[in-house]
Amino acid sequence: MNVSSRMDHNDVLRVKLEVLKREHRDLDVAIEAMQQTGHLDALRLQRMKKQKLSLKDRIAVIEDEITPDIIA
């Protein structure tokens, strides 16, 4: 039996969430290194920051789906 068929929807979301968080951290490290070394390519830096923001938005959507707000 396939592993993905044994995972429920929330398990799949948690895996996706971890992958996105790792990508976000990696971009953060790359951006910081780029800024510290002085090897600034303005266009590349801008694209990396946009990608990082996009990842942050996708992370928020998945987190909301895993733990939705409960109105009491």
Side-chain angles (χ1 to χ4, degrees), residues 4-50:
S4 64
S5 65
R6 290 184 294 204
M7 295 175 68
D8 71 1
H9 182 67
N10 278 347
D11 290 336
V12 172
L13 288 177
R14 284 186 188 91
V15 170
K16 286 182 182 179
L17 182 61
E18 287 308 311
V19 169
L20 292 175
K21 284 182 176 182
R22 187 176 316 121
E23 288 179 28
H24 187 270
R25 281 190 304 268
D26 290 347
L27 270 174
D28 196 35
V29 169
I31 289 168
E32 187 175 326
M34 191 180 220
Q35 290 173 333
Q36 286 181 355
T37 60
H39 295 282
L40 293 178
D41 176 352
L43 183 59
R44 184 167 183 227
L45 186 62
Q46 181 182 13
R47 286 179 178 163
M48 290 170 71
K49 286 182 176 183
K50 260 188 177 175

Side-chain angles (χ1 to χ4, degrees), residues 48-64:
M48 290 170 71
K49 286 182 176 183
K50 260 188 177 175
Q51 185 179 5
K52 187 177 163 193
L53 285 173
S54 175
L55 286 169
K56 185 177 177 181
D57 290 342
R58 291 170 57 196
I59 288 168
V61 167
I62 292 174
E63 286 176 336
D64 287 346

